Each structure stands twice: as C-alpha cells, then as structure tokens.
Amino acid sequence: MDTIVAQATANGRGGVGIVRVSGDLVTEITAQILGFSVNTKNGLTPRRAELLDFLDEKGEPIDNGIALFFPNPNSFTGEDVLELQAHGGPVVMDLLMRRVLNLGARAARAGEFSERAFLNGKMDLLQAEAIADLIESGSEQAARSALRSLQGEFSKQIQQLVTQLIELRLYVESAIDFPEEEIDFLKEGDVAGQLQKILNQVERVLQSAEQGALLREGMTIVIAGQPNAGKSSLLNLLAAKESAIVTDIPGTTRDLLKEQIEIDGLPIHIIDTAGLRESSDLVEIEGIRRSWQEIEQADLVLLLIDDQLGETDADRKIIMRIQEAGLNLSTNPLAKVFTKTDLSEKRSGLRLYNQSTDLAISVKTEEGMKELREFIKERAGYQTSGEGIFLARARHLNALQRASASLQQGQEQIINFHAGELLAEELRQAQNSLSEITGEFTSDDLLGEIFSSFCIGK
C-alpha cells in the first residue's frame, strides 16, 4: 500500500505543527530525514519522543523538533507511522511535507489515515466516524457523546444486537430444515418472544441514536414574522450579543442573519429573516424571498406576532402560506410566539388556544424565555441528560429504522402466517442493516463518501 503523508495540525501559524507519515516506506523515510535507521539499538526507539534535527536532501537541518515512531501493528493506522513535531510555521511545514513527498510518499486524501485504521482492523466504522465527530463537535455534550462512540459504546450495542439476531437466525433456519415440524419447533423456541425482545432493544438504541443525531446535527430554527414583531431582538437575546440592528423602523433586516447558539447542550442554528410583507423595494423583496426559502427548510419556525396587535389578517396569511409550503400547524414545526408582553401587559409563558400551544414573551424583561427554551427542546425531542447518549449520523438512523422495519415484518410473518422461511429472510435483512453501521457489511462507495468528509491528516 502507498505511503501517505499529511499535515495533522491546522494550517496557519502555531507553536507546534505535526507531519504524519504512514506506510511501508516509513523506515526508509525516517532514515533519510533523521540520518539513521529506526531500531531500538541504534536509532529511534519506538513510541519514545526524541529531540532531533530534521534534514533536507543535502543533510542540512530544516528544523529541530520531536520525532515519534510507531511500528506496525501498534499504531493508529496499523502500519508503520512516523510523526514529526516541528515549529508550526507554514514554511517549515511546507519544507517537511515536500521532503517526505520527494522520498516516495504521496499526499493523503481526506480521512485516509482513519480509513486505513478501519481497513486494518484498528477500529470499526462507527469509531472512525466518531473521530471526525469529536473534532467537529459544537458543544460539550456533543464532544462527550462522540467520545463514547469512539470508545466503542455504540459499537458494543450494535454488536450485541447482531449476535442476538445470528442466534435467532440459526434457530429459525434449523426449524426450516424440518418442514413437517416447523410450526411446533418455532413455538417451542419462543421465537416470537425472542423477536420482540430484539425489536424492543433496536427501538431503545434508535431512541438514543436520535438524541445523538440531534447533538451532532443540531436544529435549524427560523425566526419569522411581520416587520417590527421583535425578530432581531429575539435573535440578539438568544445569541447573547448584538448580532442584528434593532430600530423602530420597519424592514430594518433585509438579509438573513445566522447565529450558532446552544440550549442545554443542544446546538441550534438560528436564522433571523426579513419582515414578511408586501414591498416594492427590490432589496427587501430579495430578502423576503430568501426568508421563505429558509422557512421551507427549517426544523422549527417561530412565527413572531406583536401581542399588542394580536393575530392579524397578515399573520394568518403568513400561516396559510407556510401550510401551503408543506408545514402544518398540527404536525410540523410551526409555533406562534407573541412578543412585547411588557407593552401588552398580558401574561407571558405558555398559552393554550384551540388545542395548540402558543408562547408569549418579552425580550425586554425576558419573561417567557425559560418556557420558550423548554419548548424548543421539547419540539426537538431533546433530553437534557446526556448520560449514555452516543453521537449518531443520519445513516445510522436509517440503518436502525430499516432493521426495525425488517423485524416488524418478520413478526407479521411468524404470527400471522407461521412462515419460517420469510422470517429468516427478514432476520437476515435486519442483520445486514445493523452490520452496515459498524462497517462489517458495507460498500466501497459508502466508505469513500464517509471518509471524504474527514479532515486531511485524520
């Protein structure tokens, strides 16, 4: 396999910069750069940091830094690995990279070090993905959950499910070999009961994974409404900074304003939009068009309504258009938030009206904001306690959902039709779906898609 090299630290200037090399040519490259061979008697000792000169092709020092050698298979990738820790300037990094490339290595693709670790059996696919998720985590909760995945908690649960499915498959397929006794054999082994236990466990894992996906992906909230409803003021309060200009002049916000916030560990992508109204101003018209684009893609739309005016015909037109765009008040994330309760002198907090829950807040006094934050978490299905939660991706949810569907179909086959052969096929499909998560059953195309999203040098 090719020897690969990449800068493992971020581009730019820093106190330390690391160049990582992995592959069959590591010992030769080490000898050329450090001036001696890699061994325990006369050279670089495995897994021990050495302060040395890094030499160019003329034998002159490029830099003085720390070298670390990890022999296979006891390395991150399972191959020989060399790490050169130099001073973190762009010129030094570039010189070291060029030196290694000239000695026969090639530049690593994004995620190729982690991909090799997976292919060489150093970790499963879940753990490899958790490395990228840990680096990209946007909150403490997300980082802790990614670490749980990296340490194998998610993998362990998937592997337990696969083991249970294999055992049940063996029993069912043995029953199929005795067709005249099949029904009694399946009943005697309590196949339906075992199947229900596995299905319940899949559902529990799916629930945890959904929480993990929320921590990883976050939630997109769009603040919408008529001009002067208090959208920019709410954005500033949630972001805890003056992100948007706030004035009494209607239509101040003409473009989208985006902020990243956190509510009890839940990452929120919040978007302030232009006031929704009829306008002849070309700039404002474009801002309103962009606002509708964001509304149609949001996880939650907070429709702000001035509590002094109450719900007007203009507000109802906005609600109707949102419903026509595919969002429905009873089943989709649209919430009415009445603002300026300090001026209307009405009660803040939750309001129940026509079997729907509305909110009322005052940005000025912050009354009702606690209820709004709790409402957002509830709509997201987010549980504040992160204990036992592991980070998950959309593909993990999809695989768990497919496994659950196969098991439910298997239940129907065994309960209604006593069809052992069809049950066995559904169990096989469920096992394959779960095995996709850890990478035991997957395609090269999927691997390429996953690792291409990683950082260079990981």
Side-chain angles (χ1 to χ4, degrees):
M1 190 175 285
D2 293 346
T3 297
I4 56 175
V5 60
Q7 182 177 333
T9 45
N11 291 326
R13 289 176 171 79
V16 177
I18 299 175
V19 170
R20 177 179 289 165
V21 192
S22 179
D24 295 338
L25 295 179
V26 161
T27 53
E28 297 175 30
I29 290 171
T30 301
Q32 293 294 320
I33 290 181
L34 302 180
F36 51 78
S37 61
V38 179
N39 57 63
T40 56
K41 294 180 180 179
N42 184 26
L44 197 60
T45 304
R47 293 176 297 280
R48 192 173 81 182
E50 300 277 2
L51 182 63
L52 300 162
D53 286 337
F54 306 147
L55 307 177
D56 63 16
E57 60 277 4
K58 298 178 182 178
E60 297 179 359
I62 296 172
D63 193 10
N64 180 259
I66 291 174
L68 281 163
F69 171 61
F70 303 91
N72 72 82
N74 301 313
S75 70
F76 175 73
T77 62
E79 305 169 340
D80 286 345
V81 171
L82 173 68
E83 286 193 0
L84 302 174
Q85 301 182 11
H87 294 94
V91 174
V92 174
M93 290 291 99
D94 184 56
L95 288 172
L96 283 175
M97 282 290 297
R98 279 191 287 166
R99 176 70 167 132
V100 176
L101 290 169
N102 289 337
L103 290 171
R106 66 166 174 81
R109 303 188 308 272
E112 191 168 3
F113 287 89
S114 298
E115 183 178 7
R116 290 192 177 195
F118 165 70
L119 294 173
N120 290 328
K122 303 299 292 184
M123 61 181 67
D124 63 29
L125 195 53
L126 270 177
Q127 292 171 300
E129 289 173 306
I131 294 171
D133 293 336
L134 184 58
I135 293 170
E136 296 171 4
S137 54
S139 69
E140 180 182 346
Q141 285 265 48
R144 291 184 183 279
S145 297
L147 184 59
R148 291 190 191 100
S149 290
L150 181 57
Q151 292 172 335
E153 286 192 27
F154 194 1
S155 302
K156 182 179 179 181
Q157 296 198 39
I158 297 299
Q159 287 160 0
Q160 287 174 345
L161 284 169
V162 169
T163 299
Q164 293 173 38
L165 279 171
I166 290 172
E167 291 174 354
L168 187 56
R169 278 187 65 192
L170 288 172
Y171 189 90
V172 171
E173 289 172 12
S174 297
I176 294 170
D177 291 337
F178 302 93
E180 69 281 358
E181 303 176 23
E182 180 178 342
I183 295 175
D184 291 338
F185 193 9
L186 294 177
K187 283 185 177 179
E188 183 182 341
D190 189 25
V191 171
Q194 292 184 58
L195 183 57
Q196 184 62 56
K197 287 180 181 178
I198 295 173
L199 181 56
N200 291 343
Q201 181 62 19
V202 168
E203 291 298 323
R204 283 193 291 270
V205 175
L206 178 57
Q207 187 176 24
S208 292
E210 286 171 343
Q211 289 294 302
L214 269 175
L215 283 174
R216 181 180 185 274
E217 304 293 342
M219 182 184 192
T220 299
I221 296 178
V222 169
I223 304 174
Q226 295 187 67
N228 268 12
K231 299 182 297 298
S232 296
S233 297
L234 179 58
L235 174 73
N236 289 344
L237 179 58
L238 289 171
K241 62 180 181 180
E242 297 296 316
S243 297
I245 297 172
V246 177
T247 72
D248 293 330
I249 302 170
T252 303
T253 301
R254 297 191 171 197
D255 203 352
L256 305 174
L257 294 174
K258 301 182 180 183
E259 285 290 344
Q260 304 289 329
I261 68 169
E262 231 184 88
I263 297 179
D264 290 340
L266 173 65
I268 301 288
H269 315 287
I270 192 161
I271 303 171
D272 179 22
T273 58
L276 303 176
R277 65 175 178 179
E278 297 294 328
S279 175
S280 58
D281 186 296
L282 293 178
V283 176
E284 189 173 5
I285 289 171
E286 176 60 20
I288 293 170
R289 184 190 69 79
R290 295 184 184 186
S291 298
W292 280 110
Q293 281 186 332
E294 295 295 336
I295 288 170
E296 291 168 8
Q297 298 172 12
D299 295 317
L300 176 63
V301 178
L302 299 179
L303 180 62
L304 269 55
I305 300 171
D306 190 330
D307 201 35
Q308 300 171 99
L309 305 175
E311 188 176 313
T312 64
D313 288 340
D315 294 316
R316 286 186 279 274
K317 285 180 181 179
I318 293 171
I319 293 171
M320 187 177 299
R321 179 167 174 181
I322 291 174
Q323 290 172 329
E324 290 172 353
L327 296 175
N328 183 284
L329 273 172
S330 61
T331 59
N332 280 289
L334 170 62
K336 289 184 285 186
V337 180
F338 292 87
T339 60
K340 306 181 184 180
T341 57
D342 55 299
L343 298 178
S344 70
E345 297 183 348
K346 296 179 183 177
R347 184 176 60 85
S348 299
L350 297 177
R351 294 179 181 175
L352 299 178
Y353 181 74
N354 286 345
Q355 297 182 334
S356 69
T357 301
D358 301 332
L359 293 113
I361 64 170
S362 167
V363 172
K364 184 176 181 179
T365 66
E366 299 191 22
E367 291 182 14
M369 289 303 298
K370 179 180 178 181
E371 289 86 348
L372 177 59
R373 291 184 175 94
E374 290 298 321
F375 177 83
I376 289 171
K377 290 193 296 181
E378 182 183 339
R379 279 296 181 96
Y382 179 68
Q383 299 171 5
T384 302
S385 174
E387 292 301 318
I389 301 299
F390 37 74
L391 229 57
R393 298 183 172 206
R395 77 171 193 90
H396 305 150
L397 299 183
N398 179 264
L400 285 163
Q401 289 162 354
R402 284 187 283 114
S404 178
S406 295
L407 293 174
Q408 291 177 46
Q409 186 65 28
Q411 271 188 328
E412 183 178 346
Q413 300 300 340
I414 193 63
I415 293 172
N416 297 333
F417 306 108
H418 307 294
E421 296 91 342
L422 296 178
L423 171 60
E425 175 59 20
E426 295 297 343
L427 292 176
R428 186 187 69 83
Q429 293 284 2
Q431 181 185 336
N432 286 347
S433 296
L434 293 175
S435 295
E436 286 180 16
I437 296 175
T438 56
E440 293 174 36
F441 180 82
T442 190
S443 67
D444 290 340
D445 289 343
L446 177 60
L447 293 181
E449 181 181 339
I450 289 171
F451 287 108
S452 65
S453 65
F454 281 38
C455 302
I456 300 291
K458 287 305 293 180

